[in-house]
Amino acid sequence: MKEEAGLDFVPRKKFYFYESKSANKRAFALVFLGSWSGEVALQESEIQDYGWFTYEQAMKEDIAYVYREVLEDLKQADLIN
């Protein structure tokens, strides 16, 4: 979190491990629940844009790797609205 978004993150609990496989690549995501603090400070040279989204807004986006499944599971667990 610090490197990618400039935020301090304190993990409290592992949520789930996700894996995605395709013909020529694999993607992994280890998702933790916790608390964060600080102000978003992104590396301008590495991004085009960013924003905060509701669940419904995010699900309309083209989401990379396994993150659509992550959002669905967080919603199912009543951890996001």
Side-chain angles (χ1 to χ4, degrees):
M1 294 289 295
K2 189 69 162 180
E3 180 183 342
E4 299 300 326
L7 299 172
D8 293 309
F9 179 73
V10 178
R12 305 281 184 216
K13 178 182 174 184
K14 183 177 118 183
F15 181 66
Y16 199 73
F17 174 81
Y18 296 85
E19 180 178 4
S20 171
K21 299 176 189 177
S22 65
N24 60 354
K25 61 182 162 179
R26 294 172 75 180
F28 302 95
L30 183 54
V31 178
F32 287 89
L33 304 177
S35 58
W36 60 272
S37 63
E39 296 293 324
V40 174
L42 302 172
Q43 297 176 16
E44 301 279 330
S45 63
E46 294 187 11
I47 65 162
Q48 292 179 337
D49 197 6
Y50 80 96
W52 297 103
F53 297 86
T54 65
Y55 171 80
E56 288 79 16
Q57 291 168 329
M59 295 306 281
K60 293 177 184 175
E61 297 295 321
D62 183 22
I63 302 172
Y65 307 111
V66 296
Y67 297 112
R68 180 173 300 281
E69 185 179 351
V70 172
L71 289 174
E72 290 169 353
D73 288 349
L74 289 167
K75 177 77 169 169
Q76 183 72 26
D78 288 326
L79 294 170
I80 59 174
N81 296 328

